[in-house]
Amino acid sequence: MSAYTTGTPFQLIWNDGHTDMLLEVPVAGANVLVTKHPLNPNSGTNAWMQKRESGRLYLLDTAGKPTSFCLDVNLPDQHEVDGVFPDGSGCLVYLNTDIPQRQTQLWQITDRGDGTCFVQNIGLSLSIQFGPGAGPYVLDSGGNNQQGGAAKLWKKDPGNRNQYWQLRACRT
């Protein structure tokens, strides 16, 4: 899938050069950690849709309908210091209920022109605009291809392949 069309169901795929892994949750619910797993068809835990540009990425149910759950970021108490998160391991990505005022639930998909894209978190990128820690912040594989490995949010680095995602159209 090249350029993304808003409203099209998709799976988010990351490839380390050897293995395709998709973004998935174990169950649909609030405060559920988002992790990577081997490819499989839409099971109600691994397909997404963005209803409008720079909007929420909603989890789709097995019928391909958006649920009330979307990707979110739970920020540490102290966002970061000099571009590094306090624990040195990025910010975890969660599934959460749709909270209208919560900017960390807003995402922008940017085509890189090579079949991959950046998935930028708007809320965190807006909250840290100045100084050494200024964003933007994007979805990152967490640097591993292990099944169950957590998806993270890191400062955007155009040379970091951990931040290159493919959007694959999925049948619903």
Side-chain angles (χ1 to χ4, degrees):
M1 184 173 179
S2 54
Y4 174 65
T5 304
T6 304
T8 304
F10 64 90
Q11 291 181 309
L12 270 168
I13 312 294
W14 175 75
N15 183 294
D16 66 355
H18 306 285
T19 308
D20 283 336
M21 301 291 274
L22 58 80
L23 212 59
E24 188 168 38
V25 292
V27 295
N31 296 313
V32 175
L33 185 64
V34 177
T35 57
K36 299 179 307 294
H37 294 271
L39 294 179
N40 55 60
N42 177 18
S43 61
T45 60
N46 61 21
W48 310 91
M49 179 186 291
Q50 190 173 40
K51 295 179 184 178
R52 64 178 184 81
E53 192 174 320
S54 298
R56 287 165 175 74
L57 293 176
Y58 288 97
L59 179 69
L60 300 181
D61 63 19
T62 54
K65 304 291 183 210
T67 65
S68 61
F69 302 108
C70 57
L71 290 184
D72 197 355
V73 179
N74 283 347
L75 301 176
D77 290 338
Q78 177 187 3
H79 289 357
E80 62 169 318
V81 177
D82 295 332
V84 178
F85 287 95
D87 66 0
S89 62
C91 192
L92 295 173
V93 178
Y94 289 85
L95 191 65
N96 208 343
T97 53
D98 180 345
I99 303 168
Q101 306 84 347
R102 194 168 168 105
Q103 287 190 330
T104 54
Q105 294 180 344
L106 302 178
W107 300 83
Q108 181 176 12
I109 298 169
T110 306
D111 192 347
R112 295 187 66 254
D114 64 356
T116 65
C117 62
F118 287 114
V119 182
Q120 179 180 332
N121 183 275
I122 301 300
L124 183 59
S125 297
L126 288 174
S127 70
I128 306 173
Q129 294 185 33
F130 305 103
Y137 287 85
V138 297
L139 189 62
D140 189 287
S141 70
N144 69 64
N145 65 353
Q146 299 300 311
Q147 179 172 335
K152 307 264 182 124
L153 207 62
W154 278 101
K155 190 171 179 178
K156 183 178 178 180
D157 175 358
N160 184 348
R161 292 194 50 80
N162 294 336
Q163 299 174 353
Y164 301 177
W165 293 84
Q166 296 174 355
L167 276 62
R168 231 175 254 177
C170 63
R171 293 184 198 107
T172 55

